[in-house]
Amino acid sequence: MIDQWLKDHINRATIELSSLCNYAPMHKKCYAHAASKSILPRKIITNILTDMESIGFAGCVAFHCYNEPMIDPRLQSIIEQTKKTIPTGTIHIWTNAWYTSHDLLCELVESGVSRFTLSAYTEAENERIREMVKGVPCKIKICDLFTRGLDGRNTTWADGAPRRYRRCYAPFNDLMHRADGSIGLCCYDCQKTTVFGNLYDKTWHDIMHDNFEKMQRIFNNLSEGNRSADCIPEVCRHCRRGR
């Protein structure tokens, strides 16, 4: 019963492969700038994928949070493993496009990637990326950060008036697996104030079952826009976003 509920409500599984980002020094609002070095072991990645496959998960798998996935030398083999383990799912890569080329993107599509989001930090990078992605056979989105600005997720909930009645679907809409092994609330909880367990200590299946009632209560209240219930984490009470 729990497994079926999880299958029906987890839309995306984000697996943060590491805490490393080569652009972190130029984006000091980003939590990765101050984060300690963590690299998620392959055995934990395998456990996440196999346990999610066992419940029938067929949603999206992503490998970004506060990291840059394309600089991880394991990425292509992890993509291939993900596609083999969850063949009916989709794979999303969000990258700053520093370590990309047209041929590399095409190779990753052949390995199983369904969608790329590429961030352009300058006008010159924007032009390079737009030329590079021509003919890449998958969905492509380009974020023009030089016009939009960089978001400061570590202040998303710290500044300004809270949106107490805004609906949110955390923690299940995008189930967050961080590079330190923790399963957390969402990407906006960058300081990891709410953690449901750690994959160094327990399997994915055990963490989800042990914490199911707590996670479901949070989800049920947030999905109704109720941010004042006793079960709601403090970070959600002041968050101006929704997942």
Side-chain angles (χ1 to χ4, degrees), residues 9 27 35 45 71 78 89 94 126 172 205 209 218:
H9 289 81
H27 183 183
I45 297 169
I71 63 174
I78 290 172
W94 192 324
N126 183 51
F172 295 112
H205 191 270
H209 277 246
I218 294 172

Side-chain angles (χ1 to χ4, degrees), residues 164-198:
R164 293 190 181 276
Y165 304 106
R166 182 167 186 169
R167 294 176 186 269
C168 179
Y169 301 94
F172 295 112
N173 188 51
D174 185 2
L175 188 61
M176 192 60 50
H177 308 81
R178 300 299 298 273
D180 64 355
S182 62
I183 295 180
L185 181 65
C186 82
C187 64
Y188 291 116
D189 186 15
C190 61
Q191 297 179 19
K192 292 177 274 194
T193 63
T194 300
V195 172
F196 302 109
N198 196 291

Side-chain angles (χ1 to χ4, degrees), residues 125-160:
E125 274 290 273
N126 183 51
E127 293 177 5
R128 180 184 74 85
I129 291 169
R130 291 186 182 279
E131 184 65 27
M132 177 179 64
V133 300
K134 289 180 179 179
V136 175
C138 74
K139 294 180 180 179
I140 300 284
K141 179 180 178 181
I142 301 173
C143 292
D144 299 332
L145 295 184
F146 59 92
T147 57
R148 296 173 50 187
L150 302 173
D151 72 21
R153 293 186 181 183
N154 55 342
T155 59
T156 293
W157 49 270
D159 300 329

Side-chain angles (χ1 to χ4, degrees), residues 85-113:
T85 307
I86 308 174
T88 57
T90 60
I91 298 174
H92 178 202
I93 299 295
W94 192 324
T95 173
N96 60 33
W98 179 79
Y99 187 75
T100 54
S101 68
H102 175 85
D103 289 342
L104 179 55
L105 295 179
C106 290
E107 286 179 12
L108 294 181
V109 172
E110 291 180 3
S111 296
V113 174

